[in-house]
């Protein structure tokens, strides 16, 4: 589905052959480092607010995640 919308993954391939090295060379390094920042924010949110959601229904789980992200952004603006 992502490739149908021209979205390319930012996960590097393990380099077992020259083809893997070529694929990794085609990745945009600036975008790859933005992915790294995203992982850092995800880890900070998990550490502060917990690594799991308590709801059982998917839309309530989504709501919990959105609230956690909003609270994280508010805390960043205040401090």
């Amino acid at each position: 589905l992502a490739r149908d919308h021209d979205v390319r993954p930012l996960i590097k391939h393990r380099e077992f052959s020259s083809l893997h090295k070529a694929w990794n060379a085609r990745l945009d390094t600036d975008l790859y480092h933005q992915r790294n920042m995203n992982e850092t924010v995800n880890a900070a949110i998990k550490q502060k607010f917990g690594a799991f959601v308590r709801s059982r229904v998917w839309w309530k789980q989504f709501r919990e995640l959105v609230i956690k992200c909003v609270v994280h952004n508010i805390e960043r603006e205040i401090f």
Side-chain angles (χ1 to χ4, degrees), residues 45-57:
I45 289 174
K46 282 183 181 181
Q47 188 175 11
K48 272 189 179 178
F49 305 115
F52 59 91
V53 291
R54 289 168 177 79
S55 301
R56 292 180 183 229
V57 184

Side-chain angles (χ1 to χ4, degrees), residues 4-5 20 22-24 49 51 53-54 60 62 66 68-69:
D4 291 340
H5 294 287
H20 296 146
W23 289 339
N24 287 341
F49 305 115
V53 291
R54 289 168 177 79
K60 287 185 180 181
F62 179 76
V66 168
K68 286 180 183 183
C69 292

Side-chain angles (χ1 to χ4, degrees), residues 20-66:
H20 296 146
K21 290 179 184 179
W23 289 339
N24 287 341
R26 291 179 54 201
L27 287 176
D28 188 3
T29 57
D30 293 335
L31 290 177
Y32 185 76
H33 293 299
Q34 288 180 5
R35 180 182 183 269
N36 193 14
M37 288 188 289
N38 182 9
E39 296 294 335
T40 303
V41 170
N42 288 343
I45 289 174
K46 282 183 181 181
Q47 188 175 11
K48 272 189 179 178
F49 305 115
F52 59 91
V53 291
R54 289 168 177 79
S55 301
R56 292 180 183 229
V57 184
W58 71 267
W59 58 271
K60 287 185 180 181
Q61 291 175 354
F62 179 76
R63 185 173 61 185
E64 276 187 55
L65 294 174
V66 168

Side-chain angles (χ1 to χ4, degrees), residues 12-26:
K12 290 188 176 189
H13 295 276
R14 293 175 63 187
E15 295 182 353
F16 292 120
S17 70
S18 60
L19 186 60
H20 296 146
K21 290 179 184 179
W23 289 339
N24 287 341
R26 291 179 54 201

